[in-house]
Structures are given as structure tokens and as C-alpha cells.
Amino acid sequence: MTGPDPLAEFGAHRGLLFRLAYDILGSVADVEDVLQDSWLRWTEVDHARVLDPRAYLARLVTRQALNRLRSTARARETYPGTWLPEPLPTGEDASDRALRTDDVTVAMLLVLESLSPEERAVFVLREAFGIDYDEIGATLDRPAATVRQIAHRAREHVHARRPRFTVPADRARQVAEAFVGAALGGDVAAVTALLAPDAVQMSDGGGRASAALRPIVGRDRVARFLVGITRWPIPGPGPEFGVFNGMPGVLVRDGDTVDTVMLFEVSEVDGADLVTAVYAVRNPDKLAHL
């Protein structure tokens, strides 16, 4: 009688493991490295002794993701300009249903970025995956009581900074399309009317592509900035609409290369559906996977 197939077991849970690592790291490139390293470690395990492959793999990936997060913390502190997570396709054509969720929005990932690595791991494991405190404690080598305290602290922090209520996906898409159309048409008044008063625009060029180094805040400033940059010729066939990180967005190509991915956070503000944040990722290292 043959034992369990380690490749099949890993493949069966890969979507969940990818999502778990992405929530902790916010970087597709780092996630792929973590999964590769975890796979190599998984092949060395005595699989006949593993009673729950899903729990074992989640523990393995969490530990590797935490190690990677700690090792990249310094690089993120010295990152040129604003750091944004790598955009991840999450529409109906996403490769795994585990990724079709609002929990991976850029706004939420930026909130998680403000947690310590341990707090982030505990929050993700508990809130996103419903793993019990004993199992999280075993993963992090911490007593369950300590994990409860960490989870409580992280939950309070996240809830205090959680993005405002966002509108359903179909309405968000309509607002985003109208917003992009107004910007491309140079209609500053129409763009301004679709922005929340405290709207923010954030760009990530990583020092490798032109981008605003600091967030732009306020509907008038954001509107003028976005209409201003659309006056330059847009490369490729034009913007391609899609869903990234649970948010409507546009992808702009320059030949065969993805030049920019811009995401729109749409929320209900005083009874109106308005754009509350615009996130533009231009760092080519963060777009290669697209």
C-alpha cells in the first residue's frame, strides 16, 4: 500500500498556502520563494507521520513567511517613496477562489503592514483562516494564552484603522470606469466630483519608475494630479479593466511589458459612491508576475 503523494497534497492546498503567505508578506515574488522553500522542506518530511497535511503545511509556510518578513523589514524601511503591495488578480479568472476576497485589498494590507511580524501572522491565521489559538501557538512556539493577547492587540489595531465600508463590486466597477473616463478626457470637474473630500493617491515606483514619492491628499490635489499625468500619451492599446486585490483597477501595457497597475478604492461617503483612494504600482519588479 502506497503512502500519501506529497506533490498531490501540496498542490491540493497551494491556493490556501499562497493566500496565507501573501497576507503576511504582500509580495508575490516573496510568496513564490516561500512556497518553493516550503515545498523543499515538505519533501523531506516523513509524510506517513503527518496526520493533518493542511495544518502541517500552513504551519510550515507561516514560519517561512515570518522569516522572510523579518529579513525584508529593513529593506521596506528604506524603500524609496511609498511601498505598496504587489497587485494580485482576484477577479472571476483568478487562479484560486481563496484569493477572491476583500481581505487582500491594498488598504487592508497597508493596515497589516503597520503590525509587527508576529501580530500580523496571528491576525491572519486567526481572522482570515479561523485557526484556533492552540494551533497558532504551536506554529509560533508561543503559549495559547499569549497568542490570545497578541490577537486581541492586533484586532484592536486593525479595527481602529480598517478602511471605511466599500460598495459592492459592480457599483465600484461603474464608478472606477467613470472616473478613468473623466481623467482620460481631461475633465477635472468630473474627476473631482467622483472623489471623496479626503481622497488619497499613492504611487509606488520603487526608485525604478517615475512616481510621486509622497501620498497626495485631498480631492482637488488628487484630481489635478491624475488629470495632469493622463495628458501624457498612454502606451499600448489603452487601459485594461480588471479586478486586483478585490478592487477595480486598470492595467496599462507598454508593448509586452506591464507599465502600471492602478487600483481604485470606492466607498460610500454621505450616501454617494466615491473614490476614496487611488493606488498606482509602477515598480517593474512588482509587475513582472502580471
Side-chain angles (χ1 to χ4, degrees), residues 7-84:
L7 177 59
E9 286 285 4
F10 195 91
H13 302 296
R14 193 182 190 282
L16 177 146
L17 300 175
F18 185 102
R19 163 69 195 284
L20 173 59
Y22 181 80
D23 279 7
I24 294 175
L25 294 165
S27 164
V28 175
D30 286 341
V31 169
E32 294 294 354
D33 287 344
V34 162
L35 292 184
Q36 177 65 20
D37 188 53
S38 298
W39 159 249
L40 293 175
R41 293 172 183 267
W42 173 242
T43 60
E44 299 172 355
V45 170
D46 181 359
H47 301 97
R49 298 172 64 89
V50 178
L51 300 179
D52 187 344
R54 179 182 181 274
Y56 188 97
L57 287 167
R59 184 184 306 172
L60 178 61
V61 167
T62 298
R63 288 174 173 170
Q64 298 308 308
L66 272 175
N67 290 338
R68 176 59 63 94
L69 184 61
R70 292 177 179 126
S71 67
T72 59
R74 179 58 181 168
R76 293 191 183 184
E77 290 175 1
T78 58
Y79 191 80
T82 302
W83 182 94
L84 293 174

Side-chain angles (χ1 to χ4, degrees), residues 143-165:
T146 300
V147 170
R148 283 180 180 274
Q149 294 175 353
I150 296 172
H152 177 73
R153 185 168 63 244
R155 193 180 303 113
E156 285 192 334
H157 181 93
V158 170
H159 287 179
R161 294 163 177 79
R162 184 183 292 274
R164 72 184 81 187
F165 175 72

Side-chain angles (χ1 to χ4, degrees), residues 148-209:
R148 283 180 180 274
Q149 294 175 353
I150 296 172
H152 177 73
R153 185 168 63 244
R155 193 180 303 113
E156 285 192 334
H157 181 93
V158 170
H159 287 179
R161 294 163 177 79
R162 184 183 292 274
R164 72 184 81 187
F165 175 72
T166 54
V167 304
D170 57 340
R171 283 163 48 191
R173 168 71 180 258
Q174 292 172 4
V175 172
E177 289 182 347
F179 186 84
V180 171
L184 291 175
D187 191 338
V188 177
V191 172
T192 303
L194 289 169
L195 284 165
D198 58 348
V200 60
Q201 197 279 341
M202 302 173 71
S203 304
D204 181 346
R208 302 197 53 208

Side-chain angles (χ1 to χ4, degrees), residues 218-248:
R219 60 161 42 128
D220 293 332
R221 296 182 64 199
V222 171
R224 289 196 299 270
F225 174 78
L226 291 175
V227 171
I229 63 175
T230 58
R231 289 173 180 162
W232 295 91
I234 295 178
E240 304 171 21
F241 279 91
V243 181
F244 304 87
N245 298 77
M247 309 164 69

